[in-house]
Amino acid sequence: MTTTRRDNLRHRAALALGMALVCAGPAQAVTYGFCWRGEAGYRIEGVIAYPDGLRGLVTERDVTEFTITGWRDDSYLGRWSAEEATSETSWMLRFDADALAFRMGGYPEDDSYQQWNADGTATDCGTPGFGFNGGNRAQDVCVDGVFIEESGVPPETPLAISASVEDPCGPIPMSALPRASRTG
């Protein structure tokens, strides 16, 4: 079998393309922690990751990782991850990659609505289950298929973004620690 110069060039081109793909490796992602503080001691600690270089509006279709964990004071309520989403899951995310902020306010037409395993009634998070809804009436949570009305805060309340995925709500401030009582 004889090879022609054209076959040789094709072979080299295929090798170069293969090496470029191998050397390129996986795409880099940016990852942030975030913290939501509701009423009555409710809070969410979460993680969002999406491809590095993505600008503007990031939606549920763009994220490479998204997880929320719910708490009431120090009591664990549940968690939910985008990996668990099915066609029946209430799953809508709107994040501004330029401002590093979740768009809040609760209007789908303004891209300010959030449904993280909880729709506008916040009752469809499953049993057991956990979810968050950022609607036009309030931001609130769903725990085990039940709307937790007392968790609600105004719809435009911002969620704090953090570089720390391990502790997105930050350490407890010194002013919140119990004070030692002095005697004598």
Short mmCIF file of all heavy atoms in Angstrom, two decimals, residues 149-183:
data_model
loop_
_atom_site.label_atom_id
_atom_site.label_comp_id
_atom_site.label_asym_id
_atom_site.label_seq_id
_atom_site.Cartn_x
_atom_site.Cartn_y
_atom_site.Cartn_z
N GLU A 149 -44.73 29.38 55.11
CA GLU A 149 -45.05 30.80 54.97
C GLU A 149 -44.21 31.68 55.88
O GLU A 149 -43.78 32.77 55.48
CB GLU A 149 -46.53 31.04 55.24
CG GLU A 149 -46.95 32.46 54.94
CD GLU A 149 -48.46 32.64 54.96
OE1 GLU A 149 -49.20 31.67 55.22
OE2 GLU A 149 -48.90 33.77 54.70
N GLU A 150 -43.92 31.23 57.08
CA GLU A 150 -43.16 32.06 58.02
C GLU A 150 -41.72 32.31 57.58
O GLU A 150 -41.05 33.18 58.13
CB GLU A 150 -43.18 31.45 59.43
CG GLU A 150 -42.41 30.16 59.55
CD GLU A 150 -42.45 29.58 60.96
OE1 GLU A 150 -42.76 30.30 61.91
OE2 GLU A 150 -42.17 28.38 61.07
N SER A 151 -41.24 31.61 56.56
CA SER A 151 -39.88 31.81 56.06
C SER A 151 -39.77 33.01 55.13
O SER A 151 -38.67 33.48 54.84
CB SER A 151 -39.39 30.57 55.31
OG SER A 151 -40.08 30.42 54.07
N GLY A 152 -40.89 33.53 54.67
CA GLY A 152 -40.93 34.52 53.60
C GLY A 152 -40.30 35.87 53.90
O GLY A 152 -40.41 36.41 55.00
N VAL A 153 -39.61 36.38 52.87
CA VAL A 153 -39.05 37.74 52.88
C VAL A 153 -39.51 38.43 51.59
O VAL A 153 -39.94 37.77 50.65
CB VAL A 153 -37.51 37.74 52.99
CG1 VAL A 153 -37.05 37.16 54.32
CG2 VAL A 153 -36.86 37.01 51.83
N PRO A 154 -39.41 39.77 51.52
CA PRO A 154 -39.85 40.48 50.31
C PRO A 154 -39.18 39.95 49.03
O PRO A 154 -38.03 39.52 49.05
CB PRO A 154 -39.44 41.93 50.59
CG PRO A 154 -39.45 42.04 52.08
CD PRO A 154 -38.96 40.70 52.56
N PRO A 155 -39.91 39.99 47.91
CA PRO A 155 -39.43 39.39 46.66
C PRO A 155 -38.12 39.96 46.12
O PRO A 155 -37.37 39.25 45.46
CB PRO A 155 -40.55 39.60 45.66
CG PRO A 155 -41.52 40.49 46.30
CD PRO A 155 -41.23 40.57 47.76
N GLU A 156 -37.82 41.21 46.39
CA GLU A 156 -36.60 41.83 45.85
C GLU A 156 -35.38 41.66 46.75
O GLU A 156 -34.30 42.14 46.43
CB GLU A 156 -36.84 43.31 45.56
CG GLU A 156 -37.14 44.16 46.77
CD GLU A 156 -38.59 44.03 47.28
OE1 GLU A 156 -39.47 43.53 46.56
OE2 GLU A 156 -38.82 44.43 48.42
N THR A 157 -35.50 40.93 47.86
CA THR A 157 -34.38 40.74 48.78
C THR A 157 -33.21 40.06 48.07
O THR A 157 -33.38 38.99 47.47
CB THR A 157 -34.81 39.87 49.99
OG1 THR A 157 -35.94 40.49 50.61
CG2 THR A 157 -33.68 39.70 50.98
N PRO A 158 -32.01 40.66 48.10
CA PRO A 158 -30.87 40.04 47.42
C PRO A 158 -30.34 38.82 48.18
O PRO A 158 -30.50 38.72 49.40
CB PRO A 158 -29.82 41.15 47.38
CG PRO A 158 -30.21 42.10 48.45
CD PRO A 158 -31.68 41.95 48.68
N LEU A 159 -29.73 37.90 47.44
CA LEU A 159 -29.03 36.77 48.03
C LEU A 159 -27.55 37.11 48.04
O LEU A 159 -27.02 37.58 47.02
CB LEU A 159 -29.23 35.50 47.20
CG LEU A 159 -30.50 34.70 47.47
CD1 LEU A 159 -31.71 35.37 46.91
CD2 LEU A 159 -30.34 33.32 46.90
N ALA A 160 -26.88 36.88 49.14
CA ALA A 160 -25.46 37.20 49.25
C ALA A 160 -24.63 36.16 48.49
O ALA A 160 -24.80 34.96 48.67
CB ALA A 160 -25.04 37.23 50.71
N ILE A 161 -23.74 36.64 47.62
CA ILE A 161 -22.83 35.78 46.87
C ILE A 161 -21.50 35.76 47.61
O ILE A 161 -21.04 36.78 48.12
CB ILE A 161 -22.62 36.33 45.44
CG1 ILE A 161 -23.96 36.46 44.71
CG2 ILE A 161 -21.65 35.44 44.65
CD1 ILE A 161 -24.74 35.17 44.57
N SER A 162 -20.87 34.59 47.65
CA SER A 162 -19.63 34.43 48.40
C SER A 162 -18.63 33.62 47.58
O SER A 162 -19.00 32.72 46.84
CB SER A 162 -19.94 33.68 49.71
OG SER A 162 -18.77 33.31 50.38
N ALA A 163 -17.35 33.94 47.76
CA ALA A 163 -16.31 33.14 47.14
C ALA A 163 -16.15 31.81 47.88
O ALA A 163 -15.57 30.87 47.36
CB ALA A 163 -14.99 33.90 47.13
N SER A 164 -16.66 31.72 49.09
CA SER A 164 -16.54 30.51 49.91
C SER A 164 -17.72 29.58 49.66
O SER A 164 -18.86 29.92 49.98
CB SER A 164 -16.49 30.87 51.40
OG SER A 164 -16.56 29.69 52.18
N VAL A 165 -17.45 28.42 49.12
CA VAL A 165 -18.52 27.43 48.95
C VAL A 165 -18.69 26.60 50.22
O VAL A 165 -19.73 26.00 50.43
CB VAL A 165 -18.29 26.51 47.73
CG1 VAL A 165 -18.33 27.30 46.44
CG2 VAL A 165 -17.01 25.74 47.84
N GLU A 166 -17.67 26.59 51.07
CA GLU A 166 -17.75 25.83 52.32
C GLU A 166 -18.58 26.54 53.37
O GLU A 166 -19.22 25.91 54.20
CB GLU A 166 -16.35 25.55 52.89
CG GLU A 166 -15.51 24.60 52.07
CD GLU A 166 -14.81 25.31 50.91
OE1 GLU A 166 -14.59 26.54 51.00
OE2 GLU A 166 -14.49 24.65 49.91
N ASP A 167 -18.56 27.88 53.38
CA ASP A 167 -19.26 28.65 54.41
C ASP A 167 -19.86 29.92 53.78
O ASP A 167 -19.46 31.03 54.10
CB ASP A 167 -18.28 29.01 55.53
CG ASP A 167 -18.96 29.59 56.75
OD1 ASP A 167 -20.20 29.47 56.87
OD2 ASP A 167 -18.26 30.18 57.59
N PRO A 168 -20.84 29.77 52.88
CA PRO A 168 -21.33 30.93 52.13
C PRO A 168 -22.06 31.96 52.98
O PRO A 168 -22.13 33.12 52.61
CB PRO A 168 -22.28 30.32 51.09
CG PRO A 168 -22.68 29.01 51.66
CD PRO A 168 -21.52 28.54 52.48
N CYS A 169 -22.60 31.56 54.12
CA CYS A 169 -23.29 32.52 54.98
C CYS A 169 -22.31 33.20 55.94
O CYS A 169 -22.70 34.08 56.70
CB CYS A 169 -24.42 31.85 55.75
SG CYS A 169 -25.80 31.35 54.69
N GLY A 170 -21.05 32.79 55.88
CA GLY A 170 -20.03 33.43 56.69
C GLY A 170 -20.06 32.99 58.13
O GLY A 170 -21.00 32.36 58.59
N PRO A 171 -19.00 33.35 58.83
CA PRO A 171 -18.95 32.98 60.25
C PRO A 171 -19.96 33.80 61.05
O PRO A 171 -20.41 34.87 60.61
CB PRO A 171 -17.51 33.34 60.64
CG PRO A 171 -17.10 34.39 59.67
CD PRO A 171 -17.83 34.08 58.39
N ILE A 172 -20.29 33.31 62.19
CA ILE A 172 -21.20 34.03 63.07
C ILE A 172 -20.49 35.29 63.55
O ILE A 172 -19.36 35.23 64.03
CB ILE A 172 -21.59 33.16 64.28
CG1 ILE A 172 -22.34 31.92 63.81
CG2 ILE A 172 -22.43 33.95 65.28
CD1 ILE A 172 -22.60 30.91 64.90
N PRO A 173 -21.11 36.46 63.42
CA PRO A 173 -20.45 37.69 63.88
C PRO A 173 -20.23 37.66 65.39
O PRO A 173 -21.01 37.07 66.13
CB PRO A 173 -21.42 38.80 63.49
CG PRO A 173 -22.64 38.15 62.99
CD PRO A 173 -22.41 36.69 62.86
N MET A 174 -19.18 38.30 65.82
CA MET A 174 -18.85 38.34 67.25
C MET A 174 -20.02 38.90 68.06
O MET A 174 -20.27 38.45 69.17
CB MET A 174 -17.60 39.19 67.49
CG MET A 174 -16.33 38.56 66.92
SD MET A 174 -15.89 37.03 67.73
CE MET A 174 -15.25 37.66 69.26
N SER A 175 -20.75 39.85 67.51
CA SER A 175 -21.85 40.46 68.24
C SER A 175 -22.99 39.48 68.50
O SER A 175 -23.82 39.71 69.37
CB SER A 175 -22.38 41.68 67.48
OG SER A 175 -22.87 41.27 66.21
N ALA A 176 -23.03 38.38 67.77
CA ALA A 176 -24.09 37.40 67.96
C ALA A 176 -23.73 36.34 69.00
O ALA A 176 -24.58 35.56 69.40
CB ALA A 176 -24.41 36.72 66.63
N LEU A 177 -22.47 36.30 69.41
CA LEU A 177 -22.05 35.31 70.40
C LEU A 177 -22.57 35.70 71.78
O LEU A 177 -22.69 36.89 72.09
CB LEU A 177 -20.52 35.21 70.42
CG LEU A 177 -19.89 34.69 69.13
CD1 LEU A 177 -18.36 34.75 69.23
CD2 LEU A 177 -20.33 33.28 68.83
N PRO A 178 -22.85 34.71 72.62
CA PRO A 178 -23.31 35.05 73.97
C PRO A 178 -22.21 35.80 74.73
O PRO A 178 -21.03 35.49 74.58
CB PRO A 178 -23.61 33.70 74.61
CG PRO A 178 -23.14 32.66 73.67
CD PRO A 178 -22.76 33.30 72.37
N ARG A 179 -22.62 36.77 75.50
CA ARG A 179 -21.66 37.55 76.29
C ARG A 179 -21.42 36.86 77.63
O ARG A 179 -22.34 36.34 78.24
CB ARG A 179 -22.19 38.96 76.52
CG ARG A 179 -22.37 39.72 75.26
CD ARG A 179 -22.95 41.09 75.57
NE ARG A 179 -23.31 41.76 74.34
CZ ARG A 179 -22.61 42.74 73.80
NH1 ARG A 179 -21.53 43.18 74.38
NH2 ARG A 179 -23.01 43.30 72.68
N ALA A 180 -20.17 36.87 78.02
CA ALA A 180 -19.80 36.32 79.32
C ALA A 180 -20.35 37.26 80.40
O ALA A 180 -20.25 38.49 80.26
CB ALA A 180 -18.30 36.17 79.44
N SER A 181 -20.90 36.70 81.41
CA SER A 181 -21.39 37.56 82.49
C SER A 181 -20.26 37.81 83.48
O SER A 181 -19.49 36.91 83.79
CB SER A 181 -22.60 36.92 83.18
OG SER A 181 -22.23 35.67 83.69
N ARG A 182 -20.18 39.02 83.93
CA ARG A 182 -19.13 39.39 84.88
C ARG A 182 -19.73 39.36 86.29
O ARG A 182 -20.83 39.81 86.51
CB ARG A 182 -18.61 40.79 84.59
CG ARG A 182 -17.84 40.82 83.29
CD ARG A 182 -17.16 42.13 83.18
NE ARG A 182 -16.29 42.09 82.02
CZ ARG A 182 -15.53 43.04 81.66
NH1 ARG A 182 -15.46 44.16 82.36
NH2 ARG A 182 -14.76 42.93 80.61
N THR A 183 -18.96 38.83 87.15
CA THR A 183 -19.38 38.84 88.55
C THR A 183 -18.35 39.58 89.37
O THR A 183 -17.17 39.62 89.02
CB THR A 183 -19.53 37.40 89.11
OG1 THR A 183 -18.28 36.72 88.94
CG2 THR A 183 -20.63 36.65 88.37
#
